[in-house]
């Protein structure tokens, strides 16, 4: 049973924001793929929620457009429409690959991009790709708009910078200036509809045999989505050989261990991370299918 | 807190409907309990098995993950809308003839996921068929017969389209 509650379906952003600011016990629902099971299981997240604001009809939260600053994706866009968008496909293939692994067709048809990161669950599959692309997010309240990087927004597991009365309204992904090669890896108990155990995202730009730039991000295996800037700096400008790829991969394992500390699953996950990342690097640099 | 009833209008299997309901139920409860459309099955109740799949504005969704008030103004199609009287939809016919139905519990969802796929993509590859039904679990058939049935239907529908031209 779902606790008694009211649901309102505002048609524009201002209406949603004013309802949100007036009601102490209001929560937001978009695709509902996370909220509805939470409500049914009586999750503590909703123990005070008596009003849900459905934001699916708000046109300001929809649409994908391109500007000088990058590709803007409305917070309420579903994964299905993001994956199918020709601009996103062309400019952000790593994001397309990551979003394509989310849930199932039924989930991707409902679940929204902001819904994936707004509760900062470590297993959010779009987050490593968004971090690799240095994504900005726009937050709106009755007082106005503010922008911050996704990596700043994600504070600690299940905690973000979102304040009362605020709604995430869009994400802005800078258009990559270089032709990056990319790969995304997801390990779950099965391919579809499984909570991720490990996700890894990679963008790499080569100049001949030199790594001109590399961006590495993880999810699920770290408490929140993470970028590894020191490791990226270490690899930058180096010429590729087997030893370097092994050093980067074992470096990633060490970095992750530094973040998580030794856990019951480390003995299993760390060798997997190192081996998988080595294979990702190899495949991405030397070619082979990205599918 | 008492539960305020709401009046909900939407399109159900092609007809405009109006229903009074509590707001804190899911689409699957609305369909099964208020409209007696029991073809939609509940399996896991958390969006992992696909037994409750219906079409919402032509897209496959898990009806266990949609709250009833969220369907306001949209168009919902359930398994009951596919056959015309006694005449089965080609997908249903092919599911039967290919042995894609065993216990039958996953079948309504499986058929609707396939139906949504064929509407959007009349000539899917095997990989695309697998992707479309990856969110529908079947513990009987091993999926092979289901994939064959979808392929056969795509072939038939395309042939009959060409004939009409």
């Amino acid at each position: 049973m779902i606790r008694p509650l009211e649901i309102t379906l505002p048609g524009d952003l201002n209406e949603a924001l004013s309802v949100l600011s007036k009601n102490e016990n209001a929560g937001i629902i978009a695709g509902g793929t996370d909220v509805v099971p939470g409500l049914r299981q009586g999750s503590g997240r909703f123990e005070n929620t008596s009003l849900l604001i459905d934001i699916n009809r708000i046109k300001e939260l929809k649409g994908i457009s391109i500007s000088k600053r990058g590709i803007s994706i409305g917070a309420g866009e579903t994964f299905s429409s993001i994956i199918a968008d020709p601009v996103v496909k062309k400019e952000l293939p790593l994001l397309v690959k990551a979003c394509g692994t989310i849930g199932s067709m039924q989930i991707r048809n409902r679940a929204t991009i902001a819904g994936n990161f707004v509760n900062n669950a470590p297993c959010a599959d779009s987050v490593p790709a968004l971090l690799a692309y240095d994504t900005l997010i726009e937050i709106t309240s009755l007082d106005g708009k503010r922008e911050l990087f996704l990596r700043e927004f994600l504070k600690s597991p299940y905690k973000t910078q979102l304040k009362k009365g605020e709604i995430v309204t869009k994400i802005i992904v800078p258009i990559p200036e270089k032709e990056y090669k990319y790969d995304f890896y997801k390990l779950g108990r099965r391919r579809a509809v499984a909570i991720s155990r490990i996700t890894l995202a990679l963008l790499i730009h080569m100049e001949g045999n030199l790594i001109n730039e590399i961006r590495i991000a993880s999810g699920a295996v770290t408490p929140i989505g993470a970028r590894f800037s020191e490791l990226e700096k270490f690899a930058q400008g180096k010429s590729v050989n087997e030893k370097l790829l092994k050093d980067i991969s074992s470096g990633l394992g060490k970095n992750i261990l530094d973040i998580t500390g030794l856990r019951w699953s480390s003995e299993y996950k760390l060798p997997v991370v190192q081996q998988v990342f080595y294979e990702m690097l190899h495949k991405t640099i030397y070619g082979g299918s990205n599918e | 807190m008492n539960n305020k009833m709401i009046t909900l209008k939407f399109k159900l299997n092609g007809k405009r409907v109006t229903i009074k309901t509590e707001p804190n139920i899911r689409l699957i409860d609305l369909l099964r309990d208020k409209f007696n459309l029991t073809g939609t099955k509940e399996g896991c109740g958390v969006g992992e098995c696909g037994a409750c799949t219906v079409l919402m504005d032509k897209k496959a969704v898990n009806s266990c993950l949609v709250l009833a008030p969220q369907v306001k103004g949209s168009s919902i199609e359930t398994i009951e809308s596919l056959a015309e009287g006694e005449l089965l939809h080609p997908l249903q016919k092919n599911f039967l003839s290919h042995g894609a139905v065993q216990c039958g519990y996953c079948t309504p969802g499986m058929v609707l996921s396939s139906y949504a796929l064929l509407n959007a993509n009349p000539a899917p590859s095997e990989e695309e068929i697998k992707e479309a039904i990856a969110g529908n679990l079947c513990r009987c058939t091993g999926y092979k017969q289901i994939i064959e049935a979808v392929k056969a239907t795509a072939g038939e529908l395309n042939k009959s389209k060409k004939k009409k031209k």
Side-chain angles (χ1 to χ4, degrees):
Chain A
M1 273 299 286
I2 295 170
R3 52 178 295 136
L5 42 78
E6 283 182 53
I7 299 177
T8 175
L9 299 95
D12 64 60
L13 185 60
N14 251 329
E15 190 187 339
L17 289 169
S18 72
V19 176
L20 186 63
S21 71
K22 275 182 210 137
N23 290 275
E24 192 63 12
N25 298 324
I28 302 278
I29 184 168
T33 56
D34 180 52
V35 170
V36 177
L39 282 171
R40 263 195 103 227
Q41 287 155 3
S43 155
R45 284 190 283 159
F46 304 106
E47 83 193 335
N48 297 316
T49 308
S50 58
L51 174 67
L52 283 178
I53 304 170
D54 177 295
I55 56 171
N56 287 301
R57 283 140 219 259
I58 300 178
K59 49 190 177 313
E60 292 101 317
L61 302 183
K62 301 278 179 189
I64 298 173
S65 61
I66 190 162
S67 73
K68 258 192 240 158
R69 302 189 55 210
I71 297 169
S72 291
I73 303 176
E77 282 294 337
T78 64
F79 290 113
S80 289
S81 41
I82 291 169
I83 297 171
D85 186 86
V87 175
V88 179
K89 264 190 197 166
K90 177 169 175 276
E91 304 288 354
L92 310 171
L94 172 65
L95 183 64
V96 171
K97 187 166 187 194
C99 293
T101 69
I102 289 173
S104 60
M105 188 65 82
Q106 292 95 318
I107 303 280
R108 292 192 296 274
N109 283 341
R110 292 287 295 164
T112 61
I113 185 84
N116 199 220
F117 61 74
V118 83
N119 66 349
N120 202 5
C123 52
D125 290 327
S126 68
V127 165
L130 293 174
L131 290 174
Y133 282 123
D134 288 330
T135 300
L136 276 160
I137 63 171
E138 180 197 86
I139 295 171
T140 308
S141 70
L142 285 179
D143 300 329
K145 291 182 194 302
R146 64 186 179 114
E147 274 181 15
L148 64 168
F149 282 104
L150 178 63
R151 62 168 182 273
E152 302 163 344
F153 177 76
L154 303 173
K155 263 181 14 194
S156 56
Y158 305 100
K159 296 239 158 50
T160 69
Q161 302 276 6
L162 199 69
K163 296 183 196 135
K164 267 204 173 318
E166 287 186 326
I167 295 179
V168 175
T169 36
K170 66 165 94 149
I171 69 168
I172 303 152
V173 191
I175 297 174
E177 285 163 10
K178 303 166 192 150
E179 285 261 334
Y180 290 96
K181 297 177 173 190
Y182 67 94
D183 200 12
F184 177 76
Y185 172 83
K186 165 171 171 170
L187 177 78
R189 286 195 174 153
R190 69 183 188 99
R191 216 172 82 180
V193 227
I195 304 292
S196 297
R197 300 303 200 263
I198 299 173
T199 49
L200 297 170
L202 170 67
L203 285 176
I204 189 163
H205 182 253
M206 300 290 296
E207 247 177 37
N209 195 42
L210 290 184
I211 296 179
N212 185 33
E213 196 193 339
I214 185 168
R215 301 183 187 181
I216 305 164
S218 73
V221 71
T222 37
I224 61 172
R227 272 282 290 273
F228 297 90
S229 23
E230 275 179 34
L231 190 62
E232 292 172 4
K233 269 184 218 136
F234 161 79
Q236 194 173 346
K238 292 212 163 67
S239 86
V240 169
N241 54 42
E242 285 298 300
K243 186 179 176 303
L244 180 75
L245 299 191
K246 281 182 185 157
D247 287 347
I248 299 173
S249 310
S250 63
L252 179 63
K254 279 186 202 116
N255 273 284
I256 288 175
L257 193 63
D258 286 345
I259 298 174
T260 60
L262 203 58
R263 294 184 177 195
W264 66 270
S265 59
S266 303
E267 201 179 333
Y268 155 67
K269 279 187 179 169
L270 278 185
V272 175
V273 165
Q274 289 171 336
Q275 183 59 31
V276 161
F277 197 64
Y278 172 78
E279 284 169 21
M280 281 172 78
L281 283 169
H282 210 276
K283 192 175 78 178
T284 311
I285 293 170
Y286 295 114
S289 161
N290 251 323
E291 296 311 314
Chain B
M1 191 177 117
N2 54 352
N3 218 357
K4 250 205 291 190
M5 298 291 274
I6 57 163
T7 304
L8 196 57
K9 288 185 186 181
F10 64 105
K11 223 167 157 190
L12 179 56
N13 294 336
K15 290 192 193 111
R16 282 172 209 280
V17 294
T18 305
I19 188 99
K20 268 202 145 162
T21 175
E22 315 76 51
N24 60 331
I25 63 166
R26 305 161 303 166
L27 174 56
I28 186 173
D29 308 318
L30 190 75
L31 295 171
R32 291 180 57 88
D33 303 342
K34 310 272 176 185
F35 289 98
N36 215 17
L37 293 172
T38 52
T40 306
K41 306 299 180 200
E42 176 154 16
C44 67
V46 290
E48 288 181 7
C49 78
C52 68
T53 301
V54 300
L55 303 200
M56 183 168 179
D57 298 324
K58 301 199 187 302
K59 289 192 167 141
V61 305
N62 297 117
S63 62
C64 75
L65 297 183
V66 178
L67 293 177
Q70 295 186 289
V71 306
K72 182 181 161 193
S74 56
S75 169
I76 303 294
E77 291 167 80
T78 68
I79 191 66
E80 285 86 353
S81 71
L82 258 64
E84 292 179 36
E86 295 285 293
L87 192 68
L88 293 182
H89 185 276
L91 263 173
Q92 295 171 306
K93 225 176 53 207
N94 280 315
F95 265 62
L96 289 175
S97 62
H98 285 78
V101 180
Q102 288 186 28
C103 90
Y105 202 79
C106 76
T107 309
M110 202 64 92
V111 168
L112 284 171
S113 285
S114 313
Y115 179 71
L117 169 71
L118 294 181
N119 282 342
N121 177 3
S125 65
E126 178 158 333
E127 208 36 54
E128 287 168 327
I129 295 173
K130 287 182 181 169
E131 193 56 57
I133 62 169
N136 295 80
L137 290 182
C138 172
R139 301 288 83 163
C140 305
T141 64
Y143 302 99
K144 193 168 183 303
Q145 298 92 321
I146 295 172
I147 294 164
E148 294 301 322
V150 179
K151 270 191 204 164
T153 311
E156 276 173 34
L157 291 175
N158 289 330
K159 234 190 223 167
S160 68
K161 240 189 237 161
K162 271 183 200 154
K163 265 189 197 162
K164 272 181 199 162
K165 278 179 190 167

